[in-house]
């Protein structure tokens, strides 16, 4: 038997309705905020991610599904969506249409990570990107979308962590200061942190190792390195969030795993998840459009893991799948069955969610199926009723059953307001 690959999952029929519900909620929510959907291809040139996300990041250095296509070009299954969205924004000159371009997406992504609860190799994200404005109101809007969408889904125990990693100038100075602080302790660091010391020192702040966390407690603070402009920007973001009554905690050690961030960064975690507790992450990326060959365009966005949202929703109690059937037809005898097929065909054309037995089972089995289907109405037709141009109609809501003239069925159903 051929099985699905490690870290990939089928979304089976008893699960897919939850995805559909979430997707519908997302589309509604985004239209309230004035964002439009963008869809980009599943694979891109590898260079887009190595330049966009950063050579030294875990995503690019370890986790990408990359292959040499036709012996010529390196291609990669997209591991994230910000770089592809920016590529598309530049390629189609979307910025020419209005000063701010507000986009959202929901898509499948691929990272070769060690699978565990809330971490897959193929996973889904939804997210937003607002391109074209350097102002803190865009940061606040994007954070508000992330937070309020989760609240609207009913997810509780949310923690919004906020930080600013400043502009490039501030980060270079901070990296030097951090390295200076850590260098006498280099032998105490784990292998990963030692490697990061050389390649990407900021990521050391992301360590989960107890004694490293302790050591970093006394490390210089990135907020102390912000320029005056960075500081003003950050305090305005906070003021706007306070005004919107969106609670947050400052987390000066929060660094994100992608290199394109500038100034604001944020994550929302939920205690409903295990060790992979980040529901979403994002921030400002004022240099990415330029890095990828476009005009200098400040931007901000975030992305949330859909599987993780569904796990968090599970924790607050599984909701029942809404019934997908209005009417179930039960036929007894050959002629009645054939007449039923025509009848159901007509009902379907009128928009009633109708079903009948496709395997010619006994009346008893059909009745059992009608109960299982969750239908409100069961129509029962035998050859005798057919001859009299009649049909039995049973309302499962109040168990009332009556025989009516077939010509009256339409009117009758109309009155039931199915
Ligand atoms: P990220 O932090 O790499 O950011 O991913 C965002 C979210 O995707 C995570 O918080 C998590 O919920 C989910 N996620 C990531 N990896 C996995 C995985 N292997 N399995 C399941 N869920 C996962 C980004 O991707 C940035 N592009 C976000 C962004 C948009 N920044 C600005 N705009």
């Amino acid at each position: 038997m051929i099985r699905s690959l490690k870290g990939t999952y089928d979304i089976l029929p008893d699960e897919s309705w939850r995805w559909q519900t979430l997707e519908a909620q997302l589309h509604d929510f985004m239209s309230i905020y004035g964002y439009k959907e963008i869809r980009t291809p599943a694979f891109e040139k590898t260079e887009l991610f190595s330049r966009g996300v950063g050579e030294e990041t875990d995503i690019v250095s370890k986790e990408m599904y990359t292959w040499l296509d036709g012996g010529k070009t390196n291609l990669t299954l997209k591991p994230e969506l910000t770089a592809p969205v920016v590529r598309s924004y530049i390629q189609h000159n979307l910025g020419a249409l209005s000063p701010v371009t507000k986009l959202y997406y929901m898509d499948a992504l691929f990272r070769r990570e060690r699978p565990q609860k809330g971490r897959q190799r193929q996973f889904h994200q939804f997210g937003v990107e607002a391109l074209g404005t350097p102002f803190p109101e865009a940061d606040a809007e994007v954070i508000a979308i992330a937070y309020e969408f989760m609240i609207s889904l009913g997810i509780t125990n949310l923690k919004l962590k906020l930080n600013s990693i400043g502009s490039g100038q501030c980060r270079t100075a901070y990296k030097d200061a951090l390295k200076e602080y850590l260098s006498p302790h280099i032998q105490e660091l784990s292998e990963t942190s030692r490697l990061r010391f050389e390649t990407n020192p900021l990521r050391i702040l992301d360590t989960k190792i107890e004694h490293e966390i302790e050591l970093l407690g006394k490390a210089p603070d990135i907020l102390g390195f912000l320029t005056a402009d960075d500081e003003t920007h950050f305090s305005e973001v906070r003021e706007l969030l306070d005004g919107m009554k969106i609670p947050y905690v400052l987390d000066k050690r929060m660094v994100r795993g992608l290199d394109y961030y500038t100034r604001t960064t944020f994550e929302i975690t939920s205690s409903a998840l295990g060790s992979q507790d980040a529901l979403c992450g994002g921030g400002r990326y004022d240099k990415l459009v330029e890095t990828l060959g476009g005009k200098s365009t400040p931007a901000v966005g975030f992305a949330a893991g859909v599987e993780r949202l569904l796990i968090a929703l599970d924790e607050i109690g599984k909701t029942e799948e809404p019934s997908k059937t209005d009417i179930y037809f039960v036929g007894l005898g050959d002629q009645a069955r054939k007449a039923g097929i025509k009848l159901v065909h007509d009902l379907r054309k009128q928009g009633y969610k109708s079903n009948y037995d496709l395997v010619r089972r006994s009346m008893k089995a059909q009745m059992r199926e009608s109960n299982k289907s969750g239908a409100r109405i069961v129509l029962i037709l035998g050859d005798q009723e057919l001859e009299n141009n009649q049909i039995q109609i049973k309302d499962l809501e109040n168990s009332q059953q009556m025989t009516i003239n077939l010509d009256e069925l339409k009117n009758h159903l109309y009155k039931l307001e199915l």
Side-chain angles (χ1 to χ4, degrees), residues 29-210:
F29 197 84
M30 289 305 166
S31 67
I32 293 173
Y33 281 80
Y35 282 65
K36 287 192 179 168
E37 192 185 5
I38 182 163
R39 301 185 189 199
T40 63
F43 53 96
E44 299 268 0
K45 283 193 178 153
T46 306
E47 189 194 348
L48 175 65
F49 303 108
S50 46
R51 260 168 61 193
V53 177
E55 290 284 3
E56 311 298 348
T57 59
D58 284 353
I59 295 178
V60 172
S61 65
K62 298 193 233 167
E63 297 168 0
M64 296 203 302
Y65 288 95
T66 294
W67 70 99
L68 190 62
D69 195 57
K72 287 198 296 269
T73 325
N74 272 310
L75 301 182
T76 294
L77 286 180
K78 57 185 172 189
E80 67 101 51
L81 273 152
T82 310
V85 167
V86 168
R87 195 254 323 125
S88 178
Y89 172 86
I90 300 168
Q91 183 176 335
H92 303 288
N93 199 15
L94 296 182
L97 302 174
S98 74
V100 181
T101 308
K102 306 210 292 185
L103 304 168
Y104 77 96
Y105 47 75
M106 167 129 169
D107 211 340
L109 302 173
F110 309 87
R111 295 183 191 174
R112 192 189 283 104
E113 295 197 79
R114 197 168 44 79
Q116 64 183 88
K117 186 178 175 195
R119 190 160 76 187
Q120 301 87 242
R121 292 185 164 178
Q122 174 170 344
F123 64 100
H124 297 78
Q125 274 185 352
F126 79 82
V128 311
E129 312 292 351
L131 301 112
T133 167
F135 296 114
E137 34 275 51
D139 308 47
E141 177 169 286
V142 161
I143 295 171
I145 292 175
Y147 185 78
E148 296 297 347
F149 184 60
M150 288 174 197
I151 293 287
S152 78
L153 295 178
I155 301 178
T156 46
N157 301 326
L158 295 177
K159 185 168 168 188
L160 167 60
K161 298 192 287 188
L162 191 66
N163 193 16
S164 173
I165 57 167
S167 49
Q169 183 194 345
C170 129
R171 249 186 345 277
T172 314
Y174 178 67
K175 272 183 203 165
D176 289 346
L178 186 63
K179 283 180 84 166
E180 199 180 310
Y181 169 79
L182 287 172
S183 51
H185 304 281
I186 197 96
Q187 293 313 320
E188 300 158 42
L189 297 180
S190 64
E191 207 183 307
T192 314
S193 293
R194 258 182 279 159
L195 192 70
R196 285 176 172 167
F197 185 87
E198 299 304 333
T199 57
N200 204 353
L202 272 188
R203 296 285 298 150
I204 299 177
L205 296 177
D206 208 26
T207 180
K208 305 277 181 289
I209 303 170
E210 204 56 52

Side-chain angles (χ1 to χ4, degrees), residues 282-293:
R284 184 163 271 290
Y285 51 94
D286 289 344
K287 298 286 172 226
L288 182 60
V289 181
E290 228 172 312
T291 306
L292 294 176

